[in-house]
Every structure is written in C-alpha cells, then in structure tokens.
Amino acid sequence: MSERPESADALQLARLAEGWAEAIVSNDPVRIASFMADEWVIVSDAGIDPKEKFLSLVESGTLTHSAMDLRTDPRVRLYGDTAVVTGRVTNTAHYQGERHDADEWTTDVFVRRQGRWLCVLSHITPAAPD
C-alpha cells in the first residue's frame, strides 16, 4: 500500500477525480464514460446501477448535473494496480426535472489497465450535517 500522497500515481488519481467531476457537470455521456471501465457500477441508497443505466439517463437528459464540487482533497490509497479514492463532494443534480442537492462521501475504486486508470466502482454515502 502506498501512503505517500506525493507519489506520481496518487497525484494522477487526484487529478483524475477532479477531471471526472468536470466531466459529470459537462453532462456529456462520452466524456463521462471515458473514466469508467465497462463493468463500472454505482452503489447508493437505491442499490447497484450499471454503467449503461447511468449513461442512458445522462444521454436522455433525464439526469443532469450543474455542480460537482470536491469539498476535501481526495484520499488516495494504492494497492498495486488498484486504487481507492475517497472524498467529500457536494453536487446539484436534476433528475426528471426535479432538483437534488447532495453532500456526499464518495469512494471510487480504480484499476490500472494498459497504463490507464479506469473506475470500476463508485459508492456514495450521504454526509452527516456538520
């Protein structure tokens, strides 16, 4: 396990987290998909949803994001070609025309494949009020 946040991989993954947040706000399914492995899933209070469902909601305009802000520096932990990135995020989404503001802890699991980091799993948990 790498604890050194200054390692090249850790810095790359921290930048990747920022880029993914920007991609989500772009509402561009191709750009968002570029961060995901084919088997990516998101785990939330609603259960487990696959990449195809998430991206189809974005593509149809049923799900959009107007804000995605990292409230903490990403905590990056490396385990060989697997990385766990955790941080607190606030976001504003619109689902079926209804606005949803969220303050969440997110954990993303990345794997390195052919020199690229791709996310295989995202998990979101509502943050407790400060």
Side-chain angles (χ1 to χ4, degrees):
M1 178 180 82
S2 173
E3 293 283 342
R4 298 179 325 147
E6 68 278 0
S7 77
D9 284 332
L11 291 172
Q12 180 183 9
L13 285 153
R15 285 193 302 270
L16 195 63
E18 293 170 3
W20 196 358
E22 293 168 5
I24 294 289
V25 173
S26 78
N27 297 303
D28 177 348
V30 173
R31 186 173 170 193
I32 295 167
S34 72
F35 290 84
M36 302 169 163
D38 289 341
E39 70 272 23
W40 178 88
V41 295
I42 187 166
V43 180
S44 69
D45 60 348
I48 301 172
D49 287 312
K51 174 182 178 178
E52 297 78 18
K53 179 179 179 184
F54 183 86
L55 293 176
S56 70
L57 291 171
V58 173
E59 187 171 11
S60 70
T62 302
L63 174 64
T64 62
H65 286 83
S66 57
M68 179 73 61
D69 300 308
L70 303 173
R71 294 204 42 214
T72 62
D73 289 333
R75 177 186 183 270
V76 178
R77 294 296 181 264
L78 295 160
Y79 306 92
D81 285 335
T82 302
V84 178
V85 180
T86 307
R88 190 168 178 177
V89 175
T90 56
N91 69 76
T92 301
H94 292 81
Y95 180 68
Q96 297 180 332
E98 187 176 318
R99 179 180 169 145
H100 298 271
D101 293 300
D103 183 356
E104 301 165 321
W105 285 99
T106 64
T107 300
D108 295 304
V109 178
F110 289 86
V111 293
R112 185 177 6 224
R113 294 186 179 153
Q114 299 174 339
R116 290 188 59 218
W117 288 104
L118 295 172
C119 191
V120 294
L121 180 136
S122 296
H123 185 275
I124 57 176
T125 302
D130 289 331

